[in-house]
Structures are given as structure tokens and as C-alpha cells.
Amino acid sequence: MNPMVRMAFRFIKVTLMLVIMSILSFILCAVIYIYLLDWMNPRGAISMKTFLVVTGFVLTVIFFIAFGWCVGKPLTYLIRWINRLSEGNYSLPLEHFRQPKGGRGLDGTDSHDGINGSDGSDGSLHHNHYRYPYVLYKELFDRMHLLSIQLQRSETERLNLEAKKREWIAAISHDLKTPLSYIEGYAHMLTAADYVWTDEEKQNFSRQISGKTAEMKQLIHDLNQTGRWSVEQFPMNKKRDDVVDFLRELMIDIANHPLAEQTSFMFNTEESGCMVEFDRRLLGRALQNVIMNAVSHNPPGTQVQCNISVKEGYCYIKIEDDGIGIEETQLKHILNQSGKGIAIANAFVEAHSGRMNILPADRKGTQVDIILPIRP
């Protein structure tokens, strides 16, 4: 049956019930008054006509008060609910619900299953979950309940998306520093007056600067695309590729960084190749953040070692250095520090359904373990 028709029938039912109760009350009062007159026969009692007029007037006032309470109280409550929604408060008010029997309260899950709209065939709440007089507008409150849930869900998704966007922007802002430091270093080397570079060396520097400029353009492009997101995910372009060759090339590139001149690198692998589905830009930025942290936050002469192994369908990447290390009090929080290199790397690894751990190395220094599924 149409919800509006059900509400109309409910209005008629309530109105008839109040009218019948008023008529019965009027008749009962008249009968009682007649019996009192016959039994007590008081002198000076008011006349029957006066009594009936006064009684009828009082019962009419009571009828309108009861009818106004049944009709007006839910409407006032509904207006307050709409005002809450207009102010951005999407939580569900609970005044119109009955207290569940034997349950844990209106916000519990044991005795209030109907609040999720699973009791009625039309997705509405169960009749017994409403108090009077709110049950008169049952279908309307059902729709308001669903609207509140949808608005609350949309607001949660919006806040999560905004947080993800801020994290993405912070990641790009942080990662722009790496190619910029390459360009700055090579430009400083080219302009150094105490050394004469050969044409071949100058061409190599120019190629490096050109490559890092293209990388910066891509990062800026990613930053401009942030406003076009419609889902709560990093924009990814996964392709199946050899992560061993990819990491080897990345290590060589970082070893050529001007800031890494006094850092030694070692690359060890138990596998000739390991095919993993990953986004080269995001995973490259994650690994670059980890390795560049080992370079920039440790003294000259630090050794950075990378090991790759495969076990039980997972690719294990271990990057460790023999530098100054990280205090144990910071290890538990460093992966969640928004805008920091390690936290950004962790977010990119998790976007690949992987996980990252940071802990003290077997020797002095820091060890970062990255675990990636070989098959998604």
C-alpha cells in the first residue's frame, strides 16, 4: 500500500478513536451525574442542561489538546530534526523510538535490528519501534531515518576523500624535493669554477636534469588531477613488471644523486626476476622515499643495502642502513606521521595491498621491510 495512503488511514483511525473516546466519556459523565442525582438528591445542584454543556465544553477542549498533541508534537520534532540536518548534524535522534525490551539500548545492535530497515518488506522500521504519537508519521520518519544515514555516509566518505587528497598533496609536495635536489646538485656541479667537465659529462648531466624535470612535470600533473577524484583511492596504473630490475635501476639512479656521493650501496637478490603487478610511479616514489631517507638522514660513509627475496607468494624487500638509526619511541608512530617520507611510502605500499615495517637493523641503523603480494 502507498505510504501516504497508510498515513491517511492512520490519521482517520486516530481521529475516530479520539472522537469515540470523547463521546463515550460524555455519555459516561452524564450517566454518572444522573445516578448521583438520584442517589444523593442534593439540593441546589446544577441543572442537567448546564452540566452537559460544561462537560461537553471540557471534553471538546481535551479532544483538541489530545489531537494537537498527536499531530503537532511529531511535526515539531520533525522540524528540529530537519534543522539538525541543515546544521550538518547527521546523527539519528532517538526520541521517537521505544526503549527495546531486554536490549542494550537504542544504539545497541542486539535488540534494535529494525533500525536498519530490515523488519518491513518496504524497507521501513517496525511499527513497535516507534513511540506514540510519533507512530502517526511512521513512513515519514522512516524516510528521514534513511536520509540521515545517507547524509552521514556521504559526509564520512567526503571527509575520508578529503583526508586522502590532503595526504596525496602532501606526498607530491614531499616528493617534488627529490628531483629538485637532483637538478640543484647537477646545476651546481655544472657551474663549479674549479673543475672543467668534458662534453660527455655535460651531456650526461643535461640528460639527468631533463629526466628529473620530466619527473617534476608528472608530479605537478598528478597534483592538478587531485581535484578530479571521484573515489577514495590513489590514482593508480598497475602493470605486471619485474620488481627486481625496477629496484636495481632505482638504486643506480639514487647512487648517482649528488647527495649520495659519500654513501655506498649494495644490491642483493636471490631471484633473477620477480613479476609483480605494481604502479611504477607510486612504488618508485615509495622506495625512493625510503632509500633517500637513509641517505639524507645519515652521516657520510653510511652503507645502504637492499635485499630481495620471494617466499610463499610474496616479494620481500629489505632496505637497511648502518647509520644513526631511529629512536624506539618513534618507531611506533613514524608510519602514521602525515606528510613525512616514511608515512607517504607506507601509504603507497598499502595501496598495492602490501605492508611495510620499520625497525632497528641487525647491526646499527634502520631496517625497512616491504612485503608485496606477487599476485593481487
Side-chain angles (χ1 to χ4, degrees):
M1 186 183 296
N2 187 283
M4 296 302 297
V5 175
R6 286 200 298 268
M7 286 182 60
F9 275 116
R10 199 176 295 117
F11 266 102
I12 295 173
K13 177 182 176 182
V14 170
T15 304
L16 290 176
M17 182 179 66
L18 291 175
V19 169
I20 291 172
M21 289 178 61
S22 298
I23 294 173
L24 291 177
S25 298
F26 181 81
I27 296 174
L28 181 63
C29 289
V31 171
I32 292 174
Y33 184 74
I34 292 172
Y35 272 99
L36 286 176
L37 288 177
D38 292 342
W39 179 49
M40 300 180 64
N41 195 21
R43 295 182 178 180
I46 61 175
S47 65
M48 175 63 70
K49 181 179 180 180
T50 303
F51 175 80
L52 293 178
V53 170
V54 173
T55 302
F57 176 78
V58 172
L59 289 177
T60 301
V61 172
I62 294 175
F63 169 81
F64 281 110
I65 291 175
F67 188 79
W69 179 78
C70 290
V71 174
K73 185 177 181 180
L75 289 178
T76 304
Y77 178 74
L78 185 63
I79 292 172
R80 295 204 315 267
W81 192 347
I82 294 174
N83 287 335
R84 284 162 56 100
L85 295 179
S86 66
E87 294 171 357
N89 183 359
Y90 306 124
S91 60
L92 180 67
L94 301 176
E95 297 175 27
H96 58 293
F97 286 116
R98 288 179 181 273
Q99 183 68 31
K101 296 180 180 180
R104 296 187 304 177
L106 288 171
D107 54 352
T109 56
D110 291 345
S111 58
H112 203 41
D113 296 331
I115 198 169
N116 293 322
S118 58
D119 292 71
S121 59
D122 59 345
S124 62
L125 303 179
H126 195 278
H127 175 87
N128 292 331
H129 283 152
Y130 285 100
R131 296 168 51 197
Y132 288 97
Y134 303 106
V135 71
L136 192 62
Y137 297 90
K138 176 179 177 295
E139 288 76 15
L140 183 57
F141 281 114
D142 286 351
R143 299 303 181 267
M144 286 296 297
H145 170 78
L146 295 177
L147 176 62
S148 295
I149 290 179
Q150 290 172 359
L151 289 174
Q152 190 173 28
R153 185 181 298 116
S154 298
E155 180 68 8
T156 301
E157 291 176 354
R158 184 188 69 82
L159 292 176
N160 290 338
L161 181 58
E162 289 297 325
K164 186 66 72 174
K165 285 183 178 180
R166 287 194 297 269
E167 185 178 353
W168 177 250
I169 292 172
I172 292 177
S173 301
H174 179 276
D175 289 348
L176 277 171
K177 299 176 183 178
T178 301
L180 185 61
S181 64
Y182 274 91
I183 295 173
E184 183 181 20
Y186 285 121
H188 179 72
M189 293 169 66
L190 284 171
T191 57
D194 55 348
Y195 193 88
V196 178
W197 303 101
T198 65
D199 291 339
E200 184 179 352
E201 289 173 327
K202 290 179 180 179
Q203 289 179 0
N204 180 50
F205 293 161
S206 298
R207 283 194 297 270
Q208 295 288 345
I209 291 175
S210 178
K212 297 307 173 183
T213 302
E215 185 177 335
M216 291 182 66
K217 288 181 178 180
Q218 181 61 51
L219 289 171
I220 294 173
H221 173 75
D222 292 344
L223 185 61
N224 292 333
Q225 296 297 314
T226 304
R228 302 182 183 180
W229 283 13
S230 58
V231 293
E232 187 203 344
Q233 292 292 337
F234 292 121
M236 301 183 69
N237 181 25
K238 290 184 178 181
K239 293 182 179 179
R240 198 161 183 80
D241 205 347
D242 189 350
V243 72
V244 175
D245 288 342
F246 174 73
L247 185 53
R248 182 186 292 113
E249 294 171 2
L250 183 65
M251 289 281 288
I252 294 172
D253 181 65
I254 295 176
N256 291 326
H257 194 292
L259 295 179
E261 287 182 338
Q262 301 183 36
T263 303
S264 60
F265 295 88
M266 292 184 62
F267 182 82
N268 301 314
T269 177
E270 300 174 1
E271 309 292 331
S272 58
C274 178
M275 301 301 293
V276 177
E277 189 174 283
F278 63 95
D279 186 305
R280 293 180 67 91
R281 290 189 300 111
L282 292 190
L283 187 60
R285 287 166 59 185
L287 295 170
Q288 189 177 62
N289 272 321
V290 173
I291 299 172
M292 285 303 299
N293 272 352
V295 173
S296 58
H297 295 295
N298 286 310
T302 299
Q303 184 182 78
V304 178
Q305 183 172 328
C306 178
N307 299 304
I308 299 181
S309 60
V310 176
K311 293 180 182 178
E312 299 178 352
Y314 288 91
C315 177
Y316 292 81
I317 302 173
K318 181 171 71 172
I319 301 171
E320 60 179 334
D321 62 73
D322 57 357
I324 58 177
I326 302 175
E327 295 182 7
E328 292 188 8
T329 55
Q330 297 180 354
L331 288 176
K332 296 180 180 179
H333 309 289
I334 196 169
L335 291 177
N336 299 317
Q337 293 177 350
S338 180
K340 302 297 183 181
I342 293 296
I344 294 169
N346 182 52
F348 290 160
V349 170
E350 290 180 347
H352 286 81
S353 302
R355 63 181 185 272
M356 186 171 78
N357 298 315
I358 180 169
L359 60 155
D362 295 336
R363 44 183 180 168
K364 65 176 183 176
T366 305
Q367 175 179 322
V368 178
D369 293 331
I370 297 175
I371 305 173
L372 298 173
I374 293 180
R375 293 190 177 276

